[in-house]
Amino acid sequence: NAGVTQTPKFRILKIGQSMTLQCAQDMNHNYMYWYRQDPGMGLKLIYYSVGAGITDKGEVPNGYNVSRSTTEDFPLRLELAAPSQTSVYFCASSYSRPSYEQYFGPGTRLTVT
Amino acid sequence: DQQVKQNSPSLSVQEGRISILNCDYTNSMFDYFLWYKKYPAEGPTFLISISSIKDKNEDGRFTVFLNKSAKHLSLHIVPSQPGDSAVYFCAAGYNYGQNFVFGPGTRLSVLP
């Protein structure tokens, strides 16, 4: 099993550009999440999904969009990139209850200049 | 408004001694707590969890203690090993939800 994979590992964007961060998992998990981690801060939830076709906003959704057309994939779309979106982005997945353990990908480091 | 706080940004411990990492939360409705460990350039990995119906949970060298009245939990690592050097995140959430609030992390350095 590859677990949770994320691409790309690094990306530099200019202000106003758009991009999609890819996330895939091969563990047949229902739940998937996108987090961002700013320096010295904890992970903040951007969006999450409880199954294919179902997504919901987390704590910091502004400037992002998601879709979940399959169980495996959960891409995160950045429209009109801004310097405030410079961060490390982590995708995670988990089973439904009773296990709350989330499996994380290696992260994507994004810089917007 | 930080709902989950880890007030020590860093901690250094000698190999073989006990490491104690602390976490405080403000929302008394939180009833499930997790600890994650993160190495540089990797995603966090799950360590141990505890439900609010317990005050202690052990897994090998790792023990988590929960003090609900103080809204405080701690992670004990005994004995500490150099491979334990990492950033440790505390997370809190609800037993019927899937969303967890993460603290800012504590960087643990275990010195040989």
Side-chain angles (χ1 to χ4, degrees), chain A residues 31 33 35 37 40-43 45 48 59 90 94-107, chain B residues 1-2 32 34 36 38 41-46 87 89 94-105:
Chain A
Y31 290 77
Y33 315 81
Y35 293 90
Q37 185 189 14
M41 306 290 286
L43 289 86
L45 183 66
Y48 68 100
E59 184 184 354
F90 291 101
S94 69
Y95 291 109
S96 304
R97 295 190 300 273
S99 169
Y100 295 99
E101 177 182 347
Q102 295 184 13
Y103 295 78
F104 283 81
Chain B
D1 176 26
Q2 277 192 320
Y32 207 89
L34 309 102
Y36 282 84
K38 184 183 179 305
E42 294 183 11
T45 54
F46 172 78
V87 177
F89 291 101
Y94 304 100
N95 198 24
Y96 292 98
Q98 282 283 341
N99 303 339
F100 287 85
V101 180
F102 283 76

Side-chain angles (χ1 to χ4, degrees), chain A residues 66-107:
Chain A
V66 294
S67 59
R68 183 100 181 267
S69 56
T70 66
T71 299
E72 295 78 21
D73 300 297
F74 190 40
L76 177 72
R77 177 84 178 158
L78 278 73
E79 305 281 3
L80 298 174
S84 61
Q85 293 178 303
T86 294
S87 190
V88 180
Y89 291 84
F90 291 101
C91 178
S93 69
S94 69
Y95 291 109
S96 304
R97 295 190 300 273
S99 169
Y100 295 99
E101 177 182 347
Q102 295 184 13
Y103 295 78
F104 283 81

